Amino acid sequence: MTSALSPVDGKGYKPVMTAETQHMELSLKAGDIDVEALVNEIRQEVAKKRTEGVYTDARIGRAERHNLMYMADSEELLRFYLNCLRDGVHVDINDYQIEDSRSGWKGKGLVKMKTVIWKLLKFYTFRMWHQQNQINGLMVTAIESSFQQYEKKISELEARLAKLEGGEGE
């Protein structure tokens, strides 16, 4: 593998991404540790968890959005994003435990004040959150319905194409 270098302020050289070096491979030597076996084990575990549905959480979808572009199958990617959308469609409007790291009366007072503010905000915004959840649910349903219709249409067109290609030879 070749690497391209460019000067940096006369103090040395830094790697430059070229067409040849875009897909660089990294080789690690760690004494007695078999790095290839470790990487293979991690890949197998990730593949296993992906098939089990462990990685369908919307937070993972947001965190991994850049890594997902490397999935080999764009249909697999679209299905993954649809699952993430379905799981993360609703705004969480539930109460949560309000805490403060300060101890004593100051911490307790801040917790009480934050609790009152939260209840006032929740009362004020509950209707908006509810409407937003309805809109989000309808949007996900529309996207999934469109996806299913296009899948059906594509399979019909593929079957028709196969029939037409098969008919030409006769």
Side-chain angles (χ1 to χ4, degrees):
M1 178 174 68
T2 62
S3 70
L5 300 174
S6 70
V8 180
D9 298 325
K11 297 178 182 173
Y13 290 87
K14 70 174 183 173
V16 175
M17 292 302 286
T18 65
E20 290 181 58
T21 61
Q22 275 186 339
H23 301 287
M24 296 175 67
E25 290 186 23
L26 180 63
S27 175
L28 299 175
K29 303 293 184 207
D32 296 338
I33 298 173
D34 185 1
V35 176
E36 285 186 35
L38 182 62
V39 169
N40 286 334
E41 183 180 336
I42 292 170
R43 285 184 178 147
Q44 288 172 357
E45 187 66 24
V46 168
K48 176 184 160 199
K49 287 184 178 185
R50 184 176 286 149
T51 57
E52 291 173 354
V54 173
Y55 296 142
T56 59
D57 187 5
R59 291 170 294 179
I60 294 171
R62 286 190 300 269
E64 291 294 318
R65 68 181 177 268
H66 298 294
N67 292 338
L68 290 174
M69 68 184 194
Y70 296 111
M71 280 185 170
D73 187 2
S74 63
E75 186 175 325
E76 178 186 351
L77 176 67
L78 185 56
R79 288 183 194 283
F80 181 83
Y81 272 125
L82 285 174
N83 286 335
C84 288
L85 266 176
R86 191 178 318 110
D87 292 342
V89 69
H90 294 292
V91 177
D92 183 11
I93 59 176
N94 295 317
D95 285 328
Y96 62 95
Q97 184 68 35
I98 297 175
E99 299 174 351
D100 194 87
S101 60
R102 297 175 199 112
S103 61
W105 64 271
K106 191 174 184 180
K108 289 179 183 178
L110 285 171
V111 167
K112 291 283 186 192
M113 183 181 73
K114 289 177 184 180
T115 303
V116 169
I117 291 171
W118 169 248
K119 287 181 181 181
L120 290 172
L121 286 172
K122 185 176 176 184
F123 172 77
Y124 178 70
T125 58
F126 185 79
R127 182 173 161 87
M128 269 192 306
W129 287 337
H130 182 68
Q131 289 172 338
Q132 188 64 52
N133 283 341
Q134 286 178 325
I135 291 168
N136 292 353
L138 290 171
M139 292 297 287
V140 167
T141 302
I143 291 169
E144 286 180 328
S145 176
S146 296
F147 179 72
Q148 289 170 353
Q149 286 177 355
Y150 287 128
E151 271 188 322
K152 182 180 176 186
K153 185 71 173 175
I154 289 170
S155 65
E156 289 172 357
L157 289 171
E158 286 174 343
R160 184 176 172 198
L161 181 63
K163 183 179 177 183
L164 289 172
E165 287 177 345
E168 286 180 10
E170 295 175 359

